[in-house]
Amino acid sequence: MLASDPGASIANIATEAGVDRRTVYRRFASRDDLLDAIYASRLAAIEHAIADARLREAPVAVALHRYVENIIAVNRTWPVDLARMLADDSVRARRDACVREVDAFLERATDEGLLRSGLPEGWASALLPQLMHLVSRQMPDLSPAQAADVVVDTLLRGLGAS
């Protein structure tokens, strides 16, 4: 609900969830507390997605597909805007660690020849999240695995080594 209406009230959220707003307030003292919990859950899911993909150990093509599939699932489960989340320094530090991990993986993918070298610095790092976001929203009927196939194929055909 917050993805489609970021200004949704606690009462509207409670109604959508099928509970009384008092039930929501028993768990979350304020709307901000609810948002903090949502963002924390999304960030934890991203961290788990990265760990599960084994970006440092798994073969690059396998790790890429698993990472993309996992993040598409996260995007669909937690479709919230991250801008507010990044205002918190500790959350931003965790998110930045995730970005560094993926950037190092994309560098590894380039070093191992899966991605073409000579592209502008940071191009793959900027493009991959956009592709995942796009397929998450525009192709909801595809499973995360099918959506990952589309993203990885698009990435490798556009950035792949010849």
Side-chain angles (χ1 to χ4, degrees), residues 49-121:
I50 290 170
D52 182 65
R54 299 179 49 235
L55 298 179
R56 293 175 190 240
E57 307 86 28
V60 175
V62 172
L64 175 62
H65 195 280
R66 179 170 280 191
Y67 167 72
V68 171
E69 183 177 344
N70 290 346
I71 294 298
I72 289 168
V74 169
N75 287 347
R76 289 178 175 171
T77 302
W78 304 101
V80 293
D81 178 29
L82 299 177
R84 183 185 177 281
M85 179 176 94
L86 298 177
D88 181 289
D89 289 338
S90 65
V91 171
R92 185 190 335 262
R94 285 175 61 196
R95 186 245 184 208
D96 289 349
C98 291
V99 169
R100 284 190 302 276
E101 186 75 17
V102 174
D103 286 348
F105 168 73
L106 292 172
E107 191 173 307
R108 176 181 165 221
T110 302
D111 292 346
E112 292 187 19
L114 187 68
L115 298 178
R116 187 173 62 229
S117 61
L119 295 168
E121 185 174 336

Side-chain angles (χ1 to χ4, degrees), residues 131-153:
L131 290 172
M132 292 185 296
H133 177 79
L134 184 63
V135 78
S136 295
R137 303 294 189 269
Q138 299 296 320
M139 299 178 173
D141 295 336
L142 295 181
S143 70
Q146 292 168 322
D149 290 343
V150 171
V151 169
V152 170
D153 183 62

